């Protein structure tokens, strides 16, 4: 059996959607939507001597994050999911959030 590259340890991430990034400085890296973790997880797989790593982005900012996708121009689309009987829905839920890259 192989050990996982990354583990949530005591946290619950509850991954629900993911996108491999194909453009810009994050090309070849993974973004993972987390429902329970209420974050977008930026995962660098690690290459050569560099170990895999994970960084929480937007933790708690938008609530439960259902999915993430990369558009053809590099825009990242994040979909929240707070009106399914879990989480704390607000007046602006649910959302489709466009994050436009500034690396171009």
């Amino acid at each position: 059996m192989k050990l996982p590259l990354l583990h949530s340890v005591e946290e619950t991430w509850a991954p629900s959607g993911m996108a491999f990034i194909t453009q810009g400085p994050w090309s070849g890296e993974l973004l993972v939507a987390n429902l329970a973790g209420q974050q977008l997880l930026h995962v660098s797989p690690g290459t050569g001597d560099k170990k895999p790593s994970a960084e929480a982005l937007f933790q708690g900012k938008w609530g439960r994050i259902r999915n993430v996708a990369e558009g053809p121009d590099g825009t990242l689309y994040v979909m929240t999911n707070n009106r399914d009987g879990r989480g704390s829905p607000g007046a602006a839920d649910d959302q489709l959030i466009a994050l436009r890259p500034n690396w171009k």
Side-chain angles (χ1 to χ4, degrees), residues 7-70:
H7 190 277
S8 65
V9 190
E10 299 295 319
E11 295 178 48
T12 300
W13 290 339
S16 57
M18 65 180 76
F20 277 103
I21 304 306
T22 62
Q23 301 176 55
W26 288 355
S27 180
E29 299 186 3
L30 180 68
L31 292 178
V32 183
N34 290 186
L35 289 167
Q38 296 188 10
Q39 65 193 0
L40 194 59
L41 198 60
H42 172 209
V43 178
S44 296
T47 55
D49 294 339
K50 191 174 178 184
K51 292 187 177 195
S53 64
E55 172 188 13
L57 305 174
F58 309 109
Q59 190 168 28
K61 182 172 182 164
W62 299 310
R64 295 160 42 87
I65 299 180
R66 171 64 66 185
N67 205 0
V68 60
E70 179 185 37

